[in-house]
């Protein structure tokens, strides 16, 4: 997991979000009940009074950690006239990183995935396409390949 992006609701805003990750030990079954979570830290969100609760806040957190589970703890909300029942809302969550394989599960992720795979800017398009994640549904896989071809 390289980066986590949060898009907060414009009026139902948590004061703080804590992040925890877990990676089961090799040879053990991945279970949320037995996972040992490690606290990565927290991020604070603005109360949004300056925009009169019209804007949404996007926060990006760079974590660079091997993880199978991500836990988020939302703390109390910022109280305002649009949030009288003390709710917190998250519009979007985007987790960016690479799929863990058996060779990566024991150590930290490589600093640059393209360099770890041996890709270079001059590598042929077919060599880069073979690294497209195969876990995508066929339509998304095809769309990803088309995007890669257009970017060349």
């Amino acid at each position: 997991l390289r980066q986590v992006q949060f898009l907060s609701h414009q009026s139902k805003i948590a004061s703080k979000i804590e992040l925890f990750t877990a990676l089961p030990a090799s040879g053990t079954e991945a279970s949320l009940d037995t996972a040992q979570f490690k606290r990565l830290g927290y991020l604070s969100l603005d109360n949004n009074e300056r925009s009169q609760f019209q804007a949404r806040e996007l926060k990006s957190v760079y974590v660079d950690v091997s993880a199978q589970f991500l836990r988020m703890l939302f703390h109390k909300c910022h109280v305002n006239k649009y949030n009288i029942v003390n709710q917190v809302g998250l519009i979007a969550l985007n987790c960016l990183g690479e799929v863990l394989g058996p060779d990566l599960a024991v150590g930290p992720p490589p600093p640059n995935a393209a360099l770890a795979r041996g890709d270079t800017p001059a590598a042929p398009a077919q060599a880069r396409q073979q690294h497209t994640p195969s876990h995508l549904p066929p339509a998304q896989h095809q769309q990803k390949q088309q995007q890669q071809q257009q970017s060349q």
Side-chain angles (χ1 to χ4, degrees):
L1 182 63
R2 297 216 183 273
Q3 181 182 11
V4 183
Q5 296 175 330
F6 299 90
L7 182 61
S8 177
H9 189 272
Q10 62 270 16
S11 61
K12 294 168 177 52
I13 308 162
S15 58
K16 182 165 78 168
I17 302 172
E18 282 187 89
L19 295 177
F20 302 84
T21 59
L23 182 65
S26 61
T28 62
E29 184 178 332
S31 169
L32 190 58
D33 297 329
T34 60
Q36 297 291 319
F37 284 88
K38 179 183 174 189
R39 183 177 183 270
L40 297 180
Y42 71 92
L43 54 128
S44 299
L45 298 168
D46 187 65
N47 64 13
N48 210 12
E49 288 178 7
R50 288 179 290 188
S51 72
Q52 307 215 340
F53 311 102
Q54 299 297 309
R56 295 176 175 165
E57 184 174 5
L58 175 65
K59 286 277 191 169
S60 294
V61 180
Y62 295 89
V63 291
D64 281 331
V65 65
S66 294
Q68 188 166 2
F69 298 107
L70 173 66
R71 178 178 284 167
M72 299 166 290
L73 176 62
F74 294 87
H75 287 255
K76 65 180 182 172
C77 69
H78 285 292
V79 179
N80 60 64
K81 64 183 178 181
Y82 300 107
N83 190 10
I84 57 175
V85 293
N86 299 325
Q87 295 177 318
V88 295
L90 192 63
I91 301 296
L93 173 69
N94 191 16
C95 296
L96 304 168
E98 291 83 33
V99 177
L100 280 178
D103 57 333
L104 292 178
V106 293
N112 184 330
L115 292 176
R117 289 191 301 255
D119 288 350
T120 62
Q126 294 157 336
R128 283 194 298 270
Q129 286 177 1
Q130 69 183 353
H131 297 294
T132 302
S134 59
H135 67 281
L136 295 175
Q140 288 180 343
H141 183 73
Q142 185 178 18
Q143 183 181 12
K144 180 84 170 166
Q145 285 180 334
Q146 290 172 349
Q147 289 173 349
Q148 287 176 347
Q149 289 172 351
Q150 289 173 354
S151 65
Q152 296 173 9

